[in-house]
Amino acid sequence: MDFKQQVTTALMGVLGDSLPADKVAQLIETPKTSDLGDYAFPTFILAKTLRKAPQQIAQDLVAEIDQSGFEKVIANGPYINFFLDKAVFSDQILTTILTEGANYGQSNLGKGGNVPIDMSSPNIAKPISMGHLRSTVIGNSIAKIMTKVGFNPIKINHLGDWGTQFGKLIVAYKKWGSEAAVKADPITNLLKYYVKFHQEDVAHPELDDEARAWFRKLEAGDEEATQLWSWFRSESLKEFQKIYTMLGVEFDSFNGEAFYNDKMDSVVNALEAKGLLHESRGAEIVDLSDYNLNPALIKKSDGATLYMTRDLAAAMYRHDTYNFVQSLYVVGGEQREHFNQMKAVLKEMGNDWSDEIRHIPFGLITQGGKKLSTRSGRVILLEEVLNDAVQLASAQIEAKNPDLPNREEVAKQVGIGAVIFHDLKNDRLDNFDFDLEEVVRFEGETGPYVQYTNARAQSILRKANQEVTMDADLIVSDANAWDVLKMLSNFPDMIIKASQEYEPSVIAKYALRLAKAFNKYYANSKILADDDQKNARLSLVKSVSAVLEASLALLGVQAPKAM
Ligand code: ARG
């Protein structure tokens, strides 16, 4: 059922060997409006070889072309416009979707290859930031998209659970902390101790020596230090887990920075053996001037290893453990240099697989056009944002559908879905503004709008109260059906594009377009009228719902059947 292939074949029949088939396929366009046909082929490229004006070429080719399977094929200036046979198309696409159901759009491009995805990766004892939220939902959606095209993603939460800050935290906790407070509200209180440490150490620099000493103890495996560290870690994780549960995101691994403690010597040794380590002001670095990059810092002057060293160890561990075909890092754009350096060092070490490592950066969330940051007091607590979104959704559902039995549950699906959708509908690299009222609206370019459209489709099917059958041809020919049918047929291509560009927004934008086209169809058709296309129209409604649900699923957004 590849209609573009049909166009290519028809063209190849008249082009002979003046152009190879893949080139022809590449040149085929999708016209902006359907009065120009469903596909168009520009003839300019042939003018030189055929020594004719493009207009003439278009006319000559149309006269010869095999038109079977098309409603018509016409010359339009320098273009050849192809109009598909709508009846055949309608039956084929609807039959395909009804048969394949949730598998529609599944492909096997990835051939089961492993793809570790480094995502979320917040820091212990600190709140999850909006940036971590973005990494979480983008990474989760990319994992689902990669699965749909046949890869095997491995979702890794590379927790920031090691570093000198733990020395400070231990000192602060021992001086000002309480076990009960940490248990009651771990992140808030641990952050408080940490902040207090930084206020106090201005006047009391000896605090820094104490912190360094505690971190050294921790690195040496001291029992008290280790026990405190692992307690801070697990309390923080419990807190993070609440948010992950709300978002419906699961991980395959929580191997964070600490996991690589015993795996860094081998990295440093390998660098040494290859003669790549150089001393610079007491620190050990790898020179990357050949790559136009700043040197990578491998060891500090006090011998402590760094973020970079841990990431090198992690990259090698992932390669050895998963034998990956690609390795992705969904991390904000501000760490671009870091990942470029990491790849360059791995390359210098002779690891050609470093070419398959990809940093997937993303833009910032702003409020009123300003960057959200902890320093300006603009810390937004994610849990609060999500709870507020659920409240707003609940209020709207109450107004629209007061009798909905499971309102609480649906409000969660809608409110949280709205936040996720808003994050994913923008091009990954764009900065975007976050205004909760806007995000949770039921109209406009929002998640709730897509969910609501799907619920509407489901409600039509409930009302129809008849099984959709495939016994007769599924031909829908009323006014706005054609746009919907064509859009349905684009879904597999959209998934492939999203997977190649690591861009969930391709799916989110597609879902918005499909929802809009369907609502237009719905407003202008008597779907439930008792005529001979009723079954076919219902199969269209069912197909739209299946594809909207599949799209939302790829974004990690739920699709309530009623709302
Ligand atoms: N914990 C880091 C941060 O919050 C992000 C870690 C990203 N992943 C990695 N492998 N470096 O900035």
Side-chain angles (χ1 to χ4, degrees), residues 118 121 123 132 158 160 307 311 329 331 335 338-339:
D118 188 306
S121 311
N123 301 317
H132 296 122
H158 187 82
Y307 186 55
D311 257 331
Y329 293 77
V331 184
Q335 294 194 33
H338 169 76
F339 288 107

Side-chain angles (χ1 to χ4, degrees), residues 476-525:
V476 190
S477 57
D478 42 342
N480 299 288
W482 186 237
D483 284 342
V484 177
L485 288 165
K486 273 208 305 187
M487 242 175 250
L488 288 173
S489 79
N490 284 335
F491 187 49
D493 276 356
M494 291 295 131
I495 300 170
I496 291 170
K497 183 172 155 74
S499 76
Q500 287 167 343
E501 297 173 3
Y502 309 108
E503 188 62 271
S505 68
V506 169
I507 303 294
K509 286 177 179 146
Y510 167 80
L512 286 167
R513 280 199 306 276
L514 177 60
K516 211 164 160 189
F518 176 71
N519 282 321
K520 189 162 169 200
Y521 172 73
Y522 166 85
N524 296 291
S525 303

Side-chain angles (χ1 to χ4, degrees), residues 127-138 362-367 372-373 378-382 385-386 419 423 432 434 436:
I128 292 198
S129 69
M130 278 294 197
H132 296 122
L133 169 78
R134 293 218 69 194
S135 169
T136 310
V137 302
I138 295 171
F362 49 80
L364 301 169
I365 302 184
T366 56
Q367 213 170 35
L372 295 164
S373 82
R378 298 175 157 274
V379 236
I380 295 212
L381 289 180
L382 261 188
V385 172
L386 294 175
V419 174
D423 191 308
F432 66 86
F434 191 90
L436 198 57

Side-chain angles (χ1 to χ4, degrees), residues 162-163 166-167 170 213-222 225-226 229:
W162 203 256
F166 285 95
I170 292 174
W214 270 107
F215 183 60
R216 264 198 300 277
K217 279 192 185 186
L218 183 60
E219 289 210 292
D222 171 87
T226 306
W229 167 81

Side-chain angles (χ1 to χ4, degrees), residues 6 105 142 179 192 219 269 307 328 343 353 365 402 423 476 547 550:
Q6 193 180 318
I142 290 177
E179 188 177 335
K192 212 157 78 191
E219 289 210 292
N269 292 340
Y307 186 55
L328 310 182
K343 283 181 69 166
W353 48 261
I365 302 184
D423 191 308
V476 190
V547 173

